[in-house]
Amino acid sequence: MTTLEEVREDLGDCRRCELCEGRANIVFGVGDPHARVMIIGEAPGKNEDIQGEPFVGAAGKFLNELLGEAGLKREEIYIANILKCRPPQNRDPKVNEIEVCAPYLREQVRAIHPDYLVTLGNFATKFILKTECGITNMRGNVLQAGRFAVIPMFHPAAAIYDRSKVDLLRQDFRMLGTLLVENDGKRSKGSEHDEV
Ligand code: URA
């Protein structure tokens, strides 16, 4: 089984797509390597690029607050993005960027083997669930990707601009908290054949 350190080593000083040209730092991921919950975002923004850590800007502050609704602290979970480098002007990820970068996310998921994958926003949700369905229809549900339970949620950055999403995000994180309590002790054992 590949460890997180090995995945990071494999990524190296990645130059597999054009995003390497403008980045300050690769934003690999942060948190507990044995976390029950892995949060998957889209791509680093300006602050994340500067600090080399996911979700440290405004959306990150809100995410920390939302984690509290689930009874979680940031250090108890693992957070990573689909793309490890910041797209210029925070534009949407391109298909070829996802293609070359996402295998590292897949390896991170296998290494951590969390019980729950929380996908934030459209890109992460569509990628993990291999769906074209938008997040508005997907949120509020617990779905399955291989052996992993997937909980799609609005992206916290979207809720900063559209306050109607705030209550729904709080509700979804509370649902996650309930699931964690109900299924405490039933942690699934990973296998290197687990697909996501
Ligand atoms: N938005 C994301 O999707 N990821 C980050 O790390 C920061 C903002």
Side-chain angles (χ1 to χ4, degrees):
M1 182 77 82
T2 315
T3 65
L4 274 181
E5 289 77 22
E6 286 165 341
V7 183
R8 180 66 191 88
E9 231 170 79
D10 218 20
L11 185 62
D13 182 36
C14 184
R15 312 208 71 80
R16 292 169 183 84
C17 84
E18 66 184 19
L19 295 183
C20 66
E21 308 293 342
R23 74 169 178 237
N25 285 294
I26 290 178
V27 181
F28 181 67
V30 71
D32 180 355
H34 307 291
R36 291 181 72 196
V37 177
M38 179 168 176
I39 306 261
I40 301 177
E42 182 176 313
K46 186 168 178 227
N47 293 294
E48 291 76 21
D49 178 56
I50 292 168
Q51 296 185 43
E53 186 174 324
F55 285 97
V56 289
K61 288 205 180 76
F62 185 36
L63 176 63
N64 293 345
E65 191 188 317
L66 288 165
L67 288 170
E69 298 276 0
L72 289 167
K73 295 196 197 75
R74 192 174 161 103
E75 56 274 21
E76 289 175 307
I77 59 159
Y78 194 89
I79 316 178
N81 288 307
I82 300 205
L83 296 189
K84 308 295 189 233
C85 296
R86 183 192 182 201
Q89 280 81 49
N90 301 339
R91 64 152 170 75
D92 286 348
K94 292 183 182 170
V95 172
N96 75 300
E97 293 162 356
I98 295 177
E99 254 168 35
V100 293
C101 207
Y104 298 95
L105 177 72
R106 283 206 185 88
E107 287 299 322
Q108 286 174 295
V109 173
R110 287 195 194 115
I112 297 161
H113 206 277
D115 291 335
Y116 297 97
L117 294 175
V118 174
T119 56
L120 298 178
N122 268 315
F123 273 93
T125 302
K126 288 181 176 181
F127 174 75
I128 292 293
L129 287 169
K130 300 180 177 68
T131 177
E132 280 310 309
C133 268
I135 188 63
T136 308
N137 290 319
M138 302 295 271
R139 65 142 294 276
N141 296 294
V142 183
L143 300 144
Q144 205 71 28
R147 294 262 305 270
F148 301 97
V150 182
I151 309 184
M153 299 194 196
F154 285 125
H155 196 293
I160 292 173
Y161 298 103
D162 176 358
R163 303 305 290 173
S164 70
K165 295 189 167 80
V166 170
D167 279 349
L168 294 172
L169 262 169
R170 289 192 191 285
Q171 200 176 300
D172 291 350
F173 271 92
R174 281 198 292 273
M175 175 178 75
L176 170 65
T178 305
L179 288 168
L180 285 168
V181 171
E182 281 176 2
N183 297 308
D184 195 15
K186 284 195 230 155
R187 198 177 200 294
S188 57
K189 287 201 179 58
S191 125
E192 59 193 286
H193 304 297
D194 286 342
E195 273 304 324
V196 68

